[in-house]
Amino acid sequence: MEKFTTHTGIGVPLRRSNVDTDQIIPAVYLKRVSRTGFEDGLFAAWRKADDFVLNAEPFRHGSVLVAGPDFGTGSSREHAVWALMDYGFRVVISSRFADIFRGNSGKQGLLTAQVSQDDVELLWKHLENNPGAEVTVDLTAKTVTADHIVCAFEVDEYTRWRLLEGLDDIGLTLSHVEDVDAFEAGRPSHKPTTTLR
Amino acid sequence: MGRTLAEKVWEQHVVRRVDGEPDLIYIDLHLLHEVTSPQAFEGLRLAGRDVRRPDLTLATEDHNVPTTPGPITDPVSRTQVETLRSNCEEFGIRLHPMGDAEQGIVHVVGPQLGLTQPGMTVVCGDSHTSTHGAFGALAFGIGTSEVEHVLATQTLSLRPFKTMAITVRGELQPGVTAKDVILAVIAKIGTGGGQGYVLEYRGEAIESLSMEARMTVCNMSIEAGARAGMIAPDETTFEYLRGRDHAPQGADWEAALADWRELRTDDDAVFDAEVVIDAAELTPFVTWGTNPGQGAPLAEAVPDPEAMGDDTAKAAARSALEYMGLTAGTPLRAIAVDTVFVGSCTNGRIEDLRAAAEVIKGRRVAEGVRMLVVPGSARVRLQAEAEGLDRTFAEAGAEWRLPGCSMCLGMNPDTLAPGERSASTSNRNFEGRQGTGGRTHLVSPLVAAATAVRGTLSSPADLDPMPTGRAAQAQSA
């Protein structure tokens, strides 16, 4: 995974709450078996409408998405994160994220920056009044900056450390494989296996 | 201080605990399907890693499979299913493919095999893994990176959850089902209300539910934003498990029972949040909007967005009504549907099919309405056919299908056309969930069947009484 310290890019105001993962990428786009190329499915239904924000210049080149509360609810599909990243997004700012989506993002290096809904409103207004305005997200300082607006964001400390260091989760766990061996040795014998009887 | 059920199960699975880091948690059962696993296996291959415990892993084909006889015609769907088959073969994982006697929706298959047991940790790359919490297991959906992590290590790095008690006091009225309970819970706490929590459902109304009904409740925990839902195991749980293929046997059964009886929230345990619902106040519940929290009792009308609490809720309701093609003030019972879907991991088990069949027996699906009945697994299908439910549905004019996820999500041939409206026993009414432009009302199997008969959202109580005696004979002649 690439290290994430700061990112600056065009901010995209998405004036929606409850952006579920079926909206981020509809099921019909989940059929690939590869890890790339999911950008065509991103917000596929909404992108059919001419007035959707990503259909307008300069927002189509955005890399920092600013959305309302409960972003990423619903299906666990990690394809939602891949679609956002394949499109070019590096940061999603929202006042509340769904658990599974936030976890998936952390694994892939997509930063989910949680700010207050008041800050989301401020950013929405600023980005709508200044299309193409850049937003800087500093993971070291945990701040979002857009012109005169500076706000702090929340991210869990462990995820922050992993993103800053660019660490691979599986490699980290396998460095403690002796703990897994020891745990397995003590599991109750009545626990089932999937082996056919 | 005492501990909650969720905390007890968690503590029993801590492999490694270090200050400032998430706990490393052992996973007892890992379920796989074709949609969220290909990239995980690809990751293993790229890193040269093996599957640590194929004997704690089980795969089934469900999301992409057609529910009419014949092969998968969509080439991309077929590739995904074939990829699962080759991955399972390469890594030695048990798979139940299309046509197999044990194939079905992953969350129906695990419990019916007896693989889901109290006190276990169960994961799957599917948010409705919360279903398995009905057994007092800690069960939750994970993303594909986590699927890869579990395949490689049989563990997950996780932060402890907060706990929320959802107590449903008293007795449910006749005709009020588990689906109505969970839809009412989600409407009450909202789609983000459970965020960060494991929900524990308790109270007399929950204790009186069958295992299948408990699975319906836990299944939709994710729709309240919760990571998982749980119900403490009791005699109902043990009786369900006794004798199943993978349930413990002999001395192991006694040892397991002794462990399972400890799996209750201690009297002096403290939940981080509590919600209390009076069962007597619950009635059949349906959704009117585009998230599962936008629901109301069937007896009410489409709500007015302007009467909603805050600006965010108002805006969400306005856009939902526009998408759904509904006007505030319309009685919910006046909403006509094109399609009725009975099935899914929420309501595709044998009791659900029996409930719907009971309502529709001797009646007809309304003119112009299509009704699909899709068993959750091959076993459920065989059981239903042994009981004659397939004939009951067919005689009423409904379509009896092969098992799969079907119309719960637009990934296989069963979809809504743009603008089509459904009453669906599934779990999500998101925009386009059942097909681009499709409009979904989430309902119980009883409401689904009654709606099929009347053509508008209805409960069995709205149906004309069944003709009896001579009148019935005359009518059928």
Side-chain angles (χ1 to χ4, degrees):
Chain A
M1 196 164 76
E2 260 180 67
K3 290 185 183 184
F4 188 118
T5 47
T6 68
H7 173 81
T8 301
I10 293 174
V12 178
L14 182 63
R15 274 196 185 266
R16 289 262 190 170
S17 60
N18 269 298
V19 178
D20 58 74
T21 53
D22 274 79
Q23 302 317 317
I24 299 174
I25 183 166
V28 69
Y29 290 92
L30 308 186
K31 295 182 180 181
R32 277 194 200 90
V33 294
S34 66
R35 195 69 173 247
T36 53
F38 289 94
E39 65 275 10
D40 56 349
L42 181 70
F43 299 126
W46 293 343
R47 271 160 80 184
K48 287 180 189 147
D50 292 337
D51 60 350
F52 184 62
V53 64
L54 284 183
N55 289 331
E57 292 288 351
F59 294 119
R60 67 170 77 235
H61 307 292
S63 62
V64 179
L65 188 65
V66 185
D70 296 318
F71 189 89
T73 52
S75 157
S76 64
R77 57 189 70 163
E78 195 157 319
H79 313 66
V81 177
W82 302 336
L84 285 161
M85 294 193 76
D86 288 350
Y87 184 91
F89 283 105
R90 289 294 166 265
V91 184
V92 181
I93 297 172
S94 166
S95 51
R96 192 162 58 198
F97 291 97
D99 284 333
I100 301 179
F101 177 82
R102 186 168 45 191
N104 288 343
S105 298
K107 311 270 183 229
Q108 294 300 321
L110 177 72
L111 175 61
T112 50
Q114 185 166 329
V115 302
S116 69
Q117 184 57 28
D118 288 345
D119 287 336
V120 168
E121 303 276 351
L122 274 179
L123 288 165
W124 277 345
K125 273 184 201 131
H126 175 72
L127 297 173
E128 283 164 356
N129 294 336
N130 307 279
E134 289 194 328
V135 177
T136 295
V137 181
D138 183 338
L139 185 55
T140 313
K142 295 200 281 187
T143 55
V144 173
T145 310
D147 194 17
H148 60 287
I149 302 169
V150 181
C151 53
F153 69 82
E154 285 176 37
V155 58
D156 102 87
E157 273 309 304
Y158 183 72
T159 302
R160 176 167 168 262
W161 168 71
R162 279 184 41 259
L163 288 173
L164 287 170
E165 301 291 329
L167 288 173
D168 156 35
D169 251 13
I170 297 178
L172 271 175
T173 298
L174 288 175
S175 70
H176 307 299
V177 73
E178 69 285 354
D179 294 332
V180 185
D181 295 339
F183 183 90
E184 278 183 341
R187 289 179 78 228
S189 65
H190 64 71
K191 294 264 185 183
T193 70
T194 57
T195 315
L196 282 168
R197 284 183 174 170
Chain B
M1 195 177 73
R3 289 175 305 161
T4 63
L5 167 63
E7 288 160 350
K8 287 183 184 182
V9 178
W10 180 277
E11 285 302 321
Q12 288 173 2
H13 291 82
V14 176
V15 171
R16 179 184 145 87
R17 175 170 285 165
V18 176
D19 271 354
E21 289 184 24
D23 286 349
L24 193 63
I25 296 294
Y26 197 81
I27 302 303
D28 289 321
L29 177 64
H30 187 192
L31 302 168
L32 296 170
H33 61 79
E34 75 275 16
V35 181
T36 53
S37 64
Q39 291 86 358
F41 283 109
E42 189 58 26
L44 287 185
R45 264 190 296 271
L46 287 172
R49 289 170 177 146
D50 208 353
V51 174
R52 182 179 174 93
R53 294 296 301 265
D55 62 328
L56 302 183
T57 312
L58 179 76
T60 175
E61 298 169 1
D62 55 12
H63 284 60
N64 277 282
V65 306
T67 59
T68 47
I72 300 178
T73 50
D74 175 29
V76 198
S77 283
R78 200 167 60 225
T79 302
Q80 204 162 52
V81 165
E82 283 166 357
T83 304
L84 179 68
R85 290 177 190 176
S86 64
N87 283 329
C88 286
E89 192 175 341
E90 180 181 346
F91 290 96
I93 291 166
R94 174 175 163 193
L95 166 70
H96 293 301
M98 279 167 61
D100 185 274
E102 297 296 350
Q103 179 267 343
I105 306 174
V106 67
H107 309 307
V108 178
V109 170
Q112 77 185 11
L113 285 171
L115 278 168
T116 305
Q117 296 173 15
M120 288 173 65
T121 47
V122 181
V123 299
C124 175
D126 190 287
S127 57
H128 293 113
T129 310
S130 57
T131 311
H132 307 263
F135 292 80
L138 183 60
F140 47 90
I142 56 178
T144 298
S145 293
E146 289 172 312
V147 170
E148 186 181 338
H149 194 280
V150 177
L151 287 172
T153 71
Q154 205 57 33
T155 65
L156 274 178
S157 213
L158 295 169
R159 287 190 178 284
F161 310 123
K162 292 180 284 180
T163 57
M164 184 187 294
I166 309 256
T167 306
V168 188
R169 280 197 188 133
E171 211 175 317
L172 294 171
Q173 297 181 56
V176 180
T177 66
K179 185 64 164 284
D180 304 307
V181 171
I182 189 62
L183 285 174
V185 166
I186 300 164
K188 187 178 173 93
I189 70 175
T191 55
Q195 204 237 318
Y197 290 94
V198 171
L199 313 182
E200 184 184 330
Y201 303 97
R202 359 172 48 202
E204 299 89 338
I206 300 294
E207 288 162 16
S208 69
L209 295 176
S210 68
M211 284 317 296
E212 302 209 338
R214 292 180 190 186
M215 284 189 249
T216 299
V217 171
C218 288
N219 170 275
M220 289 190 71
S221 303
I222 181 67
E223 312 310 337
R227 201 66 207 270
M230 297 177 90
I231 295 172
D234 58 12
E235 293 306 319
T236 304
T237 321
F238 309 147
E239 276 316 303
Y240 178 94
L241 279 166
R242 191 191 299 271
R244 294 212 173 241
D245 299 17
H246 289 269
Q249 295 173 350
D252 271 347
W253 173 258
E254 296 305 323
L257 267 186
D259 284 359
W260 296 346
R261 291 189 198 283
E262 302 295 316
L263 294 170
R264 317 191 62 78
T265 291
D266 295 325
D267 291 340
D268 57 343
V270 178
F271 288 93
D272 297 303
E274 295 204 52
V275 172
V276 178
I277 289 175
D278 185 356
E281 288 174 6
L282 297 177
T283 56
F285 215 87
V286 302
T287 62
W288 49 265
T290 54
N291 72 56
Q294 292 174 323
L298 176 62
E300 293 185 2
V302 175
D304 182 1
E306 306 317 314
M308 301 267 161
D310 56 42
D311 287 350
T312 310
K314 282 188 178 102
R318 265 187 234 117
S319 97
L321 292 194
E322 191 187 333
Y323 180 85
M324 293 295 288
L326 294 174
T327 315
T330 306
L332 292 166
R333 278 199 173 87
I335 298 172
V337 305
D338 307 294
T339 294
V340 171
F341 170 59
V342 175
S344 85
C345 59
T346 310
N347 282 127
R349 283 169 285 267
I350 189 70
E351 286 180 10
D352 301 311
L353 303 191
R354 284 180 192 144
E358 175 80 18
V359 173
I360 212 147
K361 193 174 176 65
R363 296 186 162 104
R364 291 286 305 171
V365 174
E367 194 66 31
V369 173
R370 160 176 72 147
M371 182 181 190
L372 254 63
V373 184
V374 185
S377 71
R379 265 205 212 188
V380 171
R381 178 162 175 259
L382 287 177
Q383 175 71 32
E385 290 179 356
E387 296 177 18
L389 305 186
D390 57 325
R391 289 192 302 280
T392 300
F393 288 119
E395 283 161 16
E399 295 174 43
W400 177 247
R401 296 293 190 90
L402 300 176
C405 293
S406 185
M407 201 181 264
C408 178
L409 84 175
M411 252 195 117
N412 53 66
D414 303 338
T415 53
L416 294 179
E420 255 194 312
R421 187 182 299 281
S422 76
S424 176
T425 66
S426 56
N427 40 59
R428 287 187 175 138
N429 51 345
F430 296 155
E431 292 181 18
R433 170 79 177 184
Q434 296 190 295
T436 308
R439 295 160 168 169
T440 305
H441 296 273
L442 301 178
V443 301
S444 73
L446 290 178
V447 170
T451 300
V453 172
R454 292 187 81 226
T456 54
L457 293 180
S458 307
S459 76
D462 300 323
L463 298 176
D464 295 329
M466 288 286 285
T468 52
R470 294 171 72 96
Q473 282 165 20
Q475 196 172 56
S476 66

